[in-house]
Amino acid sequence: MVVQDRRGGRTAAVALACGTGLAVGLLTAGCSSEGAAADDHEPPGGSAAAVAARVHGSADALLRARSARVRTALETNSGGTRVAIRGTGGYDFTTGTGRLVVVLPDPADRPGEGRQPITEILAPGALYMKNRGAGVPADKWVRVETASLTDGNLVTGGATDPLAAAELLRGARQVTYQGEERLDGVPVRHYRGTTDIAVAARAASPRTKPALVAAEKGFTTRAVPFDAYLDEAGRLRKVRERFRFANGAPEGASVTSTTELSGFGTPVVVRLPDRRDIYAGKIASAAP
C-alpha cells in the first residue's frame, strides 16, 4: 500500500492496481416538478432543470437522513490488471464520520491466502487505518490528512467517503433520467450524467470542500461520469462514479467507485483513535 509519493507530492492512488492491492492511494438549482401536472411535452422524469436539481440535492437528503449502513466497492483497471476492493460499515452524515471494514483481494502470487481486512475510520479532514501492514504494528492506527492527498481521498483508502461521493454530485451536469428501478426491493429513480469536480468543490459544504479542492489535481480530467439511484425521499441509495488517472501510461488507469446506502437512521457510533494509538513511525509500501 502506498499513501503518498513524497518525491513528487502525488498520491499513488492506483499504484495498488499494479500489485500492492489497495488504492491508497460533490448547486441546488431550479425546483422539482414532482406533483405538478405534466403536459404532453414534459420529458420522462421532468424537465432537465428538475432532473439536475434532484441529483444536486441528494447530499442534503442524506444529511436529513442523519445516518446509514454502507457497502462500498472499488475496482481499479490499470494496464489490463483489475483489482476489486470491498467494504461494509456505517456512516453518520451529521458528523461526517464513518467506520468501514475493507477487504483486500488475495495477493497476486498467493491466491487463496487472503489478507487481513483493514479497519478504516472516516472523519472530516482525516482517514484512519488499522491493520495497515507494511511495518505498522497491528494495534496501531495510521492517520492521513485527506487534503494532503491529490485525490482528496475519493479513492485513496479503497473506498469513497459516502458524504464526499454525494457532495461530488453537486457539480452534476448533462443529467438524464434513465427510468425507475428497484434496489433491494426499494423503488428508485436512475439518473446518469457527468459531474465536474471543480464545480462540486465550490458548492460543497465546509466539511467536504478541502478534500474536493485537493481532488481537482489528482485526476486526468475533472469530469466524472456517474450513475445515481435516488429513492422517493431523494436520498442516494446507490452511486457509481468513474475516475481516471494518468498513472504514467498512455491510456492511464481508471477507478470505478460504487457506494450503496440503506438502513437510514441506523445509529452509527464512531470513536476516533486516541493520540497514543496512532503510529508515528515510518510507513513503508505494503508488500504485494
Side-chain angles (χ1 to χ4, degrees):
M1 181 184 301
V2 178
V3 172
Q4 191 173 20
D5 183 342
R6 301 291 182 185
R7 294 168 299 177
R10 280 193 83 249
T11 304
V14 296
L16 284 296
C18 303
T20 56
L22 175 63
V24 171
L26 267 192
L27 307 171
T28 300
C31 56
S32 171
S33 62
E34 291 181 304
D39 59 33
D40 292 339
H41 302 290
E42 184 81 359
S47 67
V51 167
R54 294 189 195 107
V55 174
H56 292 161
S58 59
D60 297 321
L62 292 181
L63 290 171
R64 292 191 294 270
R66 301 183 65 83
S67 61
R69 291 192 295 268
V70 181
R71 290 185 300 183
T72 67
L74 199 75
E75 298 184 359
T76 69
N77 183 0
S78 180
T81 300
R82 294 180 179 271
V83 175
I85 304 163
R86 305 192 182 279
T88 56
Y91 195 92
D92 187 325
F93 294 98
T94 62
T95 62
T97 59
R99 184 183 181 96
L100 296 172
V101 176
V102 176
V103 179
L104 310 182
D106 293 345
D109 59 343
R110 301 187 296 276
E113 180 176 311
R115 299 179 190 258
Q116 289 296 316
I118 293 178
T119 301
E120 297 186 354
I121 291 180
L122 310 171
L127 167 67
Y128 299 85
M129 295 176 285
K130 191 174 185 179
N131 195 29
R132 165 69 167 71
V136 180
D139 61 339
K140 294 294 184 179
W141 293 84
V142 172
R143 183 184 186 278
V144 180
E145 294 185 8
T146 53
S148 71
L149 304 169
T150 55
D151 78 320
N153 193 35
L154 288 178
V155 299
T156 287
T160 303
D161 181 301
L163 183 57
E167 293 257 44
L168 183 55
L169 296 179
R170 294 190 188 276
R173 58 190 182 186
Q174 300 174 342
V175 184
T176 59
Y177 175 59
Q178 301 295 305
E180 293 189 2
E181 301 181 22
R182 298 186 75 85
L183 288 177
D184 297 329
V186 176
V188 295
R189 291 183 172 185
H190 178 189
Y191 300 93
R192 177 174 293 160
T194 300
T195 190
D196 186 304
I197 299 176
V199 174
R202 292 195 294 270
S205 65
R207 187 180 295 150
T208 309
K209 185 184 292 290
L212 294 184
V213 169
E216 292 181 54
K217 310 170 187 176
F219 301 99
T220 304
T221 172
R222 298 183 338 194
V224 178
F226 71 85
D227 284 87
Y229 303 79
L230 278 59
D231 64 15
E232 294 180 351
R235 303 170 300 197
L236 271 177
R237 288 280 176 166
K238 179 178 179 179
V239 58
R240 181 182 297 112
E241 295 163 331
R242 304 167 187 85
F243 306 93
R244 182 167 291 279
F245 296 85
N247 199 38
E251 296 183 3
S254 63
V255 180
T256 300
S257 174
T258 303
T259 303
E260 298 181 65
L261 303 168
S262 62
F264 294 106
T266 300
V268 176
V269 178
V270 180
R271 180 176 177 273
L272 299 183
D274 292 332
R275 186 184 299 271
R276 64 187 177 184
D277 295 326
I278 297 176
Y279 182 65
K282 182 178 180 181
I283 301 173
S285 299

